[in-house]
């Protein structure tokens, strides 16, 4: 059985890789299998996790007993019926005459996503990043834990230059994103510095992930030549 | 007169000394010898109890948590201490004390959650050695309190309110007819041209709204931009292909495109088949989209929304069919791939501004200016903060330390 | 009416959730609404799955291009539904998780979905190479900066980096590639990331406000044009 599984995996692997050469029947077959089986997989998982796991057991909680044999079943969560009601409204889309009511759960979701993440993104992306950028450039007066005295500690040149670079980078990056002014003159020059920093950021991400992408390929090659064909041990 | 006999006091003294010495000797003899005795392992290892056990209300919650803190036992020195664990005991409504949490040596804090506001709780903490224990004094009964406001998030509220008010102000200004300047964003200026190209070549447009669901802000951005693009597409009467990875996105997209066609006066040209659900599986979806790209060869590809590693696969495949590609995402890790492979990329904030920009409506553009106010606040605060921090830390300029502390406090987040 | 009610729903729900961040008694709302979303998403899946089946059945019945593959897709879908919903071959029976090791469901996942996903993922290695090659040939300044930074970070993570610049004396050891890579990651890269993130934070606030206030309403039914 395992042998069959390895063969199936190998043939599907080669089918996908063949796409790099050009679209062909083998790829189309692998793609069709991928789509069908994965769609079914996720439906089953979502059904058991959400419909059964969250909704059904929330509304009709299973009986539970503690060590002494007393009933400690959780109370049913009637709020979940709201979710079910909205879900049923969504299905009304199938009936043309009242299909418009499916906009209600859609509106609910849009409002929900917008409301949930507004403060969240503002706090973590704006406030926290601003706070992190406020720092002394040249030195610190840390308190010595044993004596309680504060002694001036100059930052090494490496850190001073680095902190100045961060300051210039964040400032010019924000200038680049400014919508209300044309990128001309001094403003434009600062925006150019900003895009320079952004390109360095993108290049760093790019370079950072290249190695991990290569290792993914090595993994597949190892499977094909090692596990399947047995050529590599 | 007769004299006292001189010999009594010394004798008494001698007797007392002998008594002390003999007691010492007796005690020394009765103490078991720790080195050689077989009974050494079962000797009681006594410990001192934890002290100063204090219970306080956990702040800014709905009255369901209490904080317990104590001074660890004086015998708890790591390493080599006698304490092997602590056990927290709790009594609910003056009932029996039950153990609720075991903690490692060195612990001095415990957060008790999932409590009830109407009940009273008291605690004690016990320090355990290998074979002995010592209880602390129990705390007085206490109920958790509910706080109505998250006072520690007050500054977050204030700053968010300032920026929101700026957005409202500019929206109102726009309504009154004030001219609001917004600079050109290359990727968005190219949208009309990209759609025009598809019309000329008689080939469809492919719109990919990312791979996450409607509970992600980037997907919302993609759907709102779709509304604008669909309007132009409806006017030009070109084909739209929109394979999606989530069923809810399919429903929202259909709704959006359908009404765009209705508004354009072409309701009959709309078909539900423009938007098709593929699969929730990330790479299954990508395999299918790649297939669509190479078989139907769209002239224009929009890659807008939340993407993960598959961003490069989609962008490169689009490149291989010589499609014009406009991409945008707020995931910094995927932006480099779009920049490298696509003709135009909307970087982060530009994705969220796109729909407003494309609408051209003054009200929508007003919100973009509100964003600029936020950026301006950020820039000003950073500059002032860095100057204050540097002056305070390097040259101990008076008052600057307070400015630095105030700014860091205001922008700290919970 | 048809447009007003949804807009009112969006406004009410959005405002409620924003306020709940600042009111401890309402803190549970966020979680509740996330569960509602999950439930709605599953109901929506009936629409999506139904669409999948309909599209492929249509392709099949009308003998459209590539129609044989639609049979494969439909069979795969049906197979997983039957095997998963009835938990066939599941060692734990009907009460266990569908993804229990040894169940037919999990076995198909392991032998089909895992290798397919891993292979698609591994295609990135080729695409990274082709993207880099094209960026290398690009003539503009921005692409050059991106490529140089990428190159330094890449080399910095391999032994070649040290080998190439190991000759640089200690006073200038910042210019040794691995050290330079670390410096780039910690300073200019961090600056750029922060600028992007601040922008995103503000962009989300702006878009969310537009949606909640009903200024942005394309998803519901067009605008006032």
């Amino acid at each position: 059985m395992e042998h069959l599984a390895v063969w199936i995996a190998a043939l599907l692997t080669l089918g996908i890789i063949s796409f790099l050469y050009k679209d062909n029947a083998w790829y189309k077959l692998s793609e069709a299998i991928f789509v069908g089986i994965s769609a079914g997989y996720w439906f089953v998982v979502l059904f058991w996790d959400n419909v059964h796991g969250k909704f059904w057991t929330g509304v009709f909680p299973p009986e539970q007993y503690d060590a002494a044999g007393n009933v400690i079943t959780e109370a049913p969560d009637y709020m979940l019926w709201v979710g079910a009601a909205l879900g049923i409204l969504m299905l009304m889309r199938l009936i043309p005459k009242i299909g418009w009511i499916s906009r209600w759960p859609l509106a609910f979701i849009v409002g929900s996503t917008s409301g949930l993440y507004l403060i969240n993104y503002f706090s973590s992306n704006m406030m926290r990043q601003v706070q992190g950028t406020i720092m002394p450039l040249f030195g610190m007066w840390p308190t010595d834990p044993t004596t309680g005295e504060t002694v001036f500690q100059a930052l090494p040149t490496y850190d001073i230059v680095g902190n100045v670079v961060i300051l210039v980078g964040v400032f010019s990056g924000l200038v680049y994103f400014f919508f209300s002014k044309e990128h001309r003159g001094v403003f434009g020059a600062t925006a150019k510095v900003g895009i320079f920093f952004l390109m360095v950021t993108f290049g760093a991400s790019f370079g950072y992930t290249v190695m991990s992408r290569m290792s993914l390929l090595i993994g597949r090659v190892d499977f094909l030549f090692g596990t399947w064909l047995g050529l590599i041990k | 007169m007769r004299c006292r006999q001189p010999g009594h006091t010394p004798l008494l003294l001698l007797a007392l000394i002998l008594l002390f010495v003999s007691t010492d000797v007796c005690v020394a003899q009765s103490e078991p010898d720790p080195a050689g005795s077989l009974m050494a392992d079962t000797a009681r290892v006594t410990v001192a109890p934890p002290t100063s056990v204090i219970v306080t209300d956990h702040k800014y919650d709905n009255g369901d948590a209490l904080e317990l803190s104590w001074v660890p036992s004086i015998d708890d020195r790591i390493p080599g201490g006698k304490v092997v664990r602590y056990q927290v005991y709790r009594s609910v409504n003056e009932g029996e004390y039950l153990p609720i949490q075991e903690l490692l040596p060195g612990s001095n804090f415990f957060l008790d959650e999932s409590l009830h506001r109407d009940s009273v709780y008291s605690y004690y903490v016990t320090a355990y050695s290998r074979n002995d224990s010592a209880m602390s004094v129990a705390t007085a009964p206490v109920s958790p309190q509910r706080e109505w406001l998250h006072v520690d998030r007050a500054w977050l509220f204030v700053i968010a309110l300032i920026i929101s008010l700026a957005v409202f102000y500019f929206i109102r200004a726009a309504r009154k007819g004030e001219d609001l300047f917004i600079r050109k964003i290359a990727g968005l200026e190219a949208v009309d041209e990209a759609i025009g190209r598809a019309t000329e070549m008689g080939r469809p447009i492919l719109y990919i709204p990312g791979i996450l669901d409607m509970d992600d802000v980037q997907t919302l951005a993609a759907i709102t931009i779709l509304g604008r693009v669909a309007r132009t597409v409806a006017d030009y009467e070109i084909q739209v292909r929109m394979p999606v990875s989530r069923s809810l996105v399919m429903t929202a997209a259909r709704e959006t495109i359908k009404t765009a066609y209705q508004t354009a006066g072409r309701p009959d040209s709309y078909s539900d088949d423009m938007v098709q659900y593929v699969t929730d599986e990330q790479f299954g979806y990508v395999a299918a989209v790649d297939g669509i790209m190479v078989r139907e060869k769209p002239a224009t590809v929009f890659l807008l929304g939340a993407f993960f590693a598959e961003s490069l696969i989609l962008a490169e495949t689009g490149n291989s069919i010589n499609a014009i590609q406009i991409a945008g995402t707020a995931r910094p890790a995927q932006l480099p791939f779009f920049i490298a492979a696509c003709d135009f990329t909307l970087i982060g904030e530009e994705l969220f501004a796109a729909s407003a920009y494309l609408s051209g409506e003054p009200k929508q553009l007003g919100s973009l200016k509100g964003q600029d106010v936020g950026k301006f606040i950020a820039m000003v605060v950073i500059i002032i903060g860095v100057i204050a921090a540097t002056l305070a830390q390097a040259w101990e300029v008076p008052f600057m330390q307070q400015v630095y502390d105030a700014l860091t406090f205001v922008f700290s987040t919970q | 009416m048809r447009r007003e009610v949804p807009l009112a729903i969006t406004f009410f729900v959005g405002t409620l959730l924003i306020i709940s961040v600042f009111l401890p008694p309402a803190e549970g709302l966020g979680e509740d609404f996330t569960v509602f979303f999950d439930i709605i998403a599953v109901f929506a899946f009936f629409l999506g799955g139904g669409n999948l089946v309909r599209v492929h059945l249509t392709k099949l019945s009308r003998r459209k291009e590539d129609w044989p593959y639609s049979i494969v897709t439909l069979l795969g879908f049906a197979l997983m539904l039957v095997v998963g919903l009835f938990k066939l071959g599941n060692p734990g029976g009907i009460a266990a998780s569908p993804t229990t090791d040894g169940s037919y469901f999990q076995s198909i996942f392991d032998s089909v979905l895992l290798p397919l996903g891993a292979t698609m993922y591994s295609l990135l290695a080729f695409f990274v190479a082709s993207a880099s090659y094209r960026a290398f040939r690009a003539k503009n300044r921005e692409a050059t900066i991106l490529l140089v930074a990428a190159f330094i970070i890449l080399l910095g993570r391999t032994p070649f980096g040290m080998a190439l610049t190991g000759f640089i004396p200690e006073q200038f050891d910042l210019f040794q590639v691995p050290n330079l890579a670390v410096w780039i990651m910690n300073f200019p890269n961090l600056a750029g990331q922060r600028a992007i993130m601040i922008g995103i934070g503000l962009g989300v606030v702006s878009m969310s406000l537009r949606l909640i206030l009903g200024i942005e309403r394309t998803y519901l039914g067009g605008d006032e044009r």
Side-chain angles (χ1 to χ4, degrees), chain B residues 133-290:
Chain B
S133 64
M135 270 174 56
S136 71
V137 174
T139 63
V142 144
S143 280
Q145 300 296 313
R146 152 201 279 180
E147 283 80 36
W148 287 98
L149 279 181
H150 247 290
V151 175
D152 56 339
R153 290 178 184 166
W155 280 109
L156 177 62
F157 180 76
V158 167
I159 308 283
L161 189 65
I162 292 174
I163 292 173
S164 304
L165 288 174
V167 170
F168 297 153
Y169 168 79
F170 283 106
I171 289 174
R172 261 192 82 217
R175 275 218 183 104
K176 286 197 198 148
E178 257 179 57
D179 189 29
L180 300 172
F181 174 77
I182 301 284
R183 71 167 169 86
K184 298 223 177 296
I185 299 176
L188 296 172
E189 288 296 302
V191 169
D192 276 346
E193 180 201 316
I195 297 176
R197 185 175 186 257
T199 321
E200 276 168 43
M201 298 172 86
R203 299 223 293 262
I205 290 184
L206 190 66
Y207 197 98
I208 310 291
I211 62 160
L212 288 184
D213 212 333
M214 291 291 282
D215 63 343
D216 189 273
V217 287
Q218 297 174 80
T219 314
L220 285 189
I223 295 293
T224 55
I225 300 171
L226 174 68
R228 310 284 168 212
V229 168
R231 199 43 222 284
T232 316
V233 163
D235 284 337
Y236 282 51
E237 276 203 342
I238 9 173
Q239 282 264 351
V240 170
R241 284 283 269 129
M242 191 170 168
V244 296
S245 178
R246 297 281 192 269
S247 313
L248 265 176
V249 176
M250 177 188 83
T251 315
R254 282 182 174 173
E255 197 60 51
T256 307
I257 300 178
K258 186 175 181 178
T259 44
Y261 271 76
Q262 279 170 349
T263 320
R266 300 206 159 112
D268 296 327
S269 304
Y270 169 75
S271 158
D272 263 356
D273 285 335
M274 289 178 176
V275 186
Q276 286 178 357
Y277 170 77
V278 179
T279 172
D280 273 46
E281 171 68 37
Q282 177 189 15
F283 285 112
Y285 174 66
V286 172
V289 172
D290 270 3

Side-chain angles (χ1 to χ4, degrees), chain C residues 29-40:
Chain C
L29 272 181
E31 273 168 43
D32 283 340
F33 280 46
T34 311
V35 174
F36 293 161
F37 178 85
D38 287 339
I39 296 172
I40 297 172

Side-chain angles (χ1 to χ4, degrees), chain A:
Chain A
M1 197 63 208
E2 225 184 87
H3 208 58
L4 178 66
V6 169
W7 268 88
I8 292 174
L11 289 173
L12 291 172
T13 302
L14 290 172
I16 297 288
I17 292 180
S18 70
F19 179 73
L20 292 171
Y21 175 57
K22 67 173 196 170
D23 187 29
N24 59 80
W26 202 351
Y27 175 78
K28 287 182 189 176
L29 182 65
S30 306
E31 177 201 318
I33 293 173
F34 204 173
V35 168
I37 293 202
S38 63
Y41 175 85
W42 282 107
F43 181 80
V44 169
V45 168
L46 286 173
F47 177 83
W48 285 115
D49 279 352
N50 290 353
V51 171
H52 179 78
K54 286 184 183 152
F55 178 72
W56 197 258
T57 54
V59 167
F60 303 109
E63 287 189 352
Q64 286 173 319
Y65 302 93
D66 66 10
N70 304 317
V71 177
I72 52 162
T73 314
E74 278 177 28
D77 187 357
Y78 294 111
M79 286 283 268
L80 292 170
W81 284 111
V82 174
L86 289 168
I88 291 172
L89 286 182
M90 177 122 291
L91 288 180
M92 295 295 108
R93 207 152 199 283
L94 296 168
I95 305 169
K97 278 229 162 80
I98 50 168
W100 55 267
I101 208 163
S102 67
R103 286 181 181 178
W104 291 16
L106 216 53
F108 177 90
I109 286 164
V110 170
S112 179
T113 307
S114 306
L116 263 177
Y117 291 107
L118 193 151
I119 296 291
N120 188 304
Y121 267 80
F122 186 70
S123 165
S124 64
N125 281 32
M126 204 275 198
M127 303 281 274
R128 190 172 297 165
Q129 300 309 315
V130 167
Q131 189 208 27
T133 314
I134 298 175
M135 69 206 140
L137 290 178
F138 299 124
M140 310 272 283
W141 282 90
T143 311
D144 191 332
T146 45
T147 62
E149 281 174 12
T150 50
V151 180
F152 180 69
Q153 227 177 46
L155 286 174
T157 319
Y158 181 87
D159 284 320
I160 294 178
V161 170
N163 288 348
V164 170
V165 161
I166 290 180
L167 180 65
V168 170
V170 175
F171 191 84
S172 60
L174 287 175
V175 165
Y176 171 80
F177 283 118
F178 224 67
F179 295 127
S180 306
K181 254 177 103 59
E182 195 71 75
H183 285 170
R184 263 201 288 256
V186 175
F187 199 81
T190 319
K192 275 210 166 64
V193 174
I195 198 79
F196 167 82
F197 274 93
L198 290 176
M199 287 300 141
V200 171
T201 305
F202 297 141
S205 285
F206 195 95
Y208 200 79
T209 42
V210 166
M211 291 310 285
S212 58
R213 305 292 186 239
M214 293 301 157
S215 68
L216 293 166
L217 180 63
I218 293 169
R220 294 325 287 161
V221 169
D222 188 45
F223 166 73
L224 285 174
F225 289 102
T227 316
W228 181 48
L229 293 177
L231 293 173
I232 308 173
K233 286 282 182 280

Side-chain angles (χ1 to χ4, degrees), chain C residues 180-217:
Chain C
L180 197 56
V182 168
W183 187 85
I184 291 178
M185 288 303 284
N186 290 341
F187 296 106
N189 168 60
L190 182 66
Q193 296 270 359
R194 284 210 178 132
I196 294 173
M197 284 177 78
I198 292 175
I200 288 173
L202 293 165
V204 171
V205 169
S206 169
M207 186 190 74
S208 301
L209 281 176
R210 292 201 305 269
L211 285 167
I212 290 173
L213 294 173
I215 298 172
E216 179 76 69
R217 47 176 84 171

Side-chain angles (χ1 to χ4, degrees), chain B residues 316-386:
Chain B
E316 278 297 295
T317 311
N319 233 306
S320 71
I321 57 167
N322 291 318
I324 187 168
Q325 297 194 100
I326 300 179
T329 183
R331 296 195 71 89
Q334 305 310 321
L335 284 166
F337 302 114
F338 282 147
I339 299 224
C342 298
D343 299 278
F344 299 97
T345 308
L346 302 175
I347 301 172
E349 185 177 11
E350 293 169 350
L351 175 70
F352 299 110
S355 172
Y357 183 101
L358 288 171
S359 76
E361 281 169 48
K363 273 191 320 199
Q364 303 242 13
L365 296 179
S367 73
L368 297 188
K369 296 202 84 83
Q371 282 176 242
D372 276 352
V373 168
K375 275 175 291 218
F376 184 72
I377 291 176
M379 287 192 267
V380 164
V381 166
I382 288 172
I383 296 288
I384 293 179
V386 169

